Amino acid sequence: KFYLPQNYQSVTTAIINYASISVYYLFPYLASRNCSPLTNLDLALSLFLYVVGGFLHYCADAQKFYTLKYNPNSLIVEGLFEHLQHPNYLGEFLMWLALAIVAGKYNVWSYIPVAWLFMGTIIVGMPLKEKSMKRYDNYETWTKKTYRLIPFIW
């Protein structure tokens, strides 16, 4: 019999979680198998998307960490969050789109991780986070003057 301590999830849940995370590893596999040469535009675009995405993702996470550390129980409405409700998600999308270009922009398989990210953030993560943030008094005012994910669009 397989023993799991009480604070661990079931083996089935662990397998599902592992499979979910493994989708990310399609990028290096596909990039290593991609025999089409990258154009200078592909290279420049993927580099730009990755650098901007990394900046947004990590700066938003750092801002969230330090703001909540020194001002807990408050809605973050300054810095990157003054313009976007989910700048870290936008950054992650940009990074994954950059990796999809390198993995093969015409290969449908390259976009499976991006679709997986879409499901995990847009369909599941953002609604849960927004439901949690509604407890703050200034939430409604903040959402009316910020974009959810894509500046000037949504």
Side-chain angles (χ1 to χ4, degrees), residues 1-11 13:
K1 183 177 177 181
F2 186 71
Y3 170 75
L4 283 176
Q6 288 184 351
N7 59 342
Y8 284 81
Q9 298 179 0
S10 70
V11 173
T13 303

Side-chain angles (χ1 to χ4, degrees), residues 23 30 63 68 73 75 103-104 108 115 151:
V23 170
L30 293 171
Q63 181 183 354
L68 294 176
N73 300 319
L75 182 64
V108 174

Side-chain angles (χ1 to χ4, degrees), residues 127-139:
L128 287 173
K129 190 182 272 189
E130 289 165 359
K131 183 179 178 185
S132 169
M133 291 188 299
K134 284 182 180 177
R135 70 180 186 260
Y136 297 109
D137 295 335
N138 55 343
Y139 175 76

Side-chain angles (χ1 to χ4, degrees), residues 20-21 23 86 88-89 92-93 96 111-130 148-149 154:
S20 298
I21 293 168
V23 170
H86 305 282
N88 48 342
Y89 288 160
E92 199 164 350
F93 269 109
W96 284 40
Y111 297 95
I112 287 176
V114 178
W116 192 252
L117 178 67
F118 176 85
M119 289 189 299
T121 56
I122 305 292
I123 296 173
V124 178
M126 283 174 53
L128 287 173
K129 190 182 272 189
E130 289 165 359
R148 289 181 78 198
L149 186 69
W154 181 64

Side-chain angles (χ1 to χ4, degrees), residues 64-99:
K64 212 184 305 185
F65 174 80
Y66 287 108
T67 301
L68 294 176
K69 180 178 180 177
Y70 295 110
N71 194 7
N73 300 319
S74 65
L75 182 64
I76 305 169
V77 296
E78 299 164 351
L80 294 173
F81 294 89
E82 186 176 347
H83 309 286
L84 289 172
Q85 295 171 26
H86 305 282
N88 48 342
Y89 288 160
L90 174 62
E92 199 164 350
F93 269 109
L94 294 177
M95 291 171 70
W96 284 40
L97 284 172
L99 294 172

